[in-house]
Amino acid sequence: MHSTAWWPTLIVLVIATFTDLRSRRIPNWLVFPFMIAGMAVSGWLHGWNGLGHSLAGFALGGLLFGVLSMMGGMGMGDVKLCAAIGAWVGPGQLMIALVLTGIVGGIMALVWAACGGFLGELFSGAGDLVFGLKKRGLRPHPELVLDNPLTRKMPYAPAIAIGTLVSFFSR
């Protein structure tokens, strides 16, 4: 990670959080230039090694969140945002950011469900996802997918933002 990664990441995460909370979308006009800039800056500052590091972070973010998207529980905007963050911070810091993102996202989901009065429904759905995985494999759960209009959907950019920003302080 280069020392200039935190400020463009902060700007993009604030905009992504705002748009995700407002419209449940993370726009391509935000993530694609951020992604390309991460690769360009890494290559410019650190040569081919920097570009390789950036590409590895990009690939890791896209792969990990891409699997979650294929299973129906993550939007493509979240996937592209994580891949773009990986292009800026590289695979090592991205792993820290994703672990922190998962923790923050879990806490947010619990608070959201408790305040909304559907904590039991949350635990039931989580149980179906985890314990049905062996039978279902990586195929999406038939009901717990973003395409289902009856499924509750939580914007995930705030969790990605908090996890990523905390990862900058953990180094």
Side-chain angles (χ1 to χ4, degrees):
M1 174 197 69
H2 43 85
S3 60
T4 58
W6 71 269
W7 67 266
T9 304
L10 174 65
I11 293 167
V12 167
L13 289 172
V14 166
I15 296 169
T17 296
F18 176 76
T19 60
D20 199 20
L21 288 170
R22 186 175 47 97
S23 66
R24 300 291 200 269
R25 298 186 57 77
I26 301 171
N28 289 337
W29 61 259
L30 178 66
V31 292
F32 286 143
F34 179 59
M35 184 184 314
I36 292 167
M39 292 177 195
V41 168
S42 292
W44 180 51
L45 292 177
H46 305 288
W48 289 109
N49 286 338
L51 180 59
H53 193 250
S54 179
L55 289 170
F58 164 78
L60 179 65
L63 178 69
L64 292 177
F65 270 64
V67 168
L68 292 172
S69 176
M70 287 185 331
M71 293 176 67
M74 184 73 52
M76 282 307 294
D78 299 319
V79 173
K80 291 180 273 190
L81 179 62
C82 286
I85 292 167
W88 276 93
V89 303
Q93 184 172 350
L94 182 64
M95 283 304 296
I96 294 167
L98 294 180
V99 167
L100 292 168
T101 294
I103 293 167
V104 170
I107 292 168
M108 287 173 57
L110 287 170
V111 170
W112 178 55
C115 291
F118 55 91
L119 197 56
E121 183 182 327
L122 175 81
F123 286 128
S124 174
D128 285 349
L129 284 174
V130 172
F131 297 115
L133 192 60
K134 184 176 180 181
K135 182 175 76 172
R136 198 178 56 258
L138 291 180
R139 288 188 318 268
H141 187 284
E143 296 169 16
L144 303 175
V145 292
L146 292 176
D147 293 342
N148 182 351
L150 301 176
T151 300
R152 297 180 196 274
K153 300 162 186 76
M154 182 182 86
Y156 208 63
I160 295 169
I162 294 168
T164 300
L165 294 175
V166 170
S167 80
F168 282 109
F169 300 110
S170 69
R171 294 189 119 323

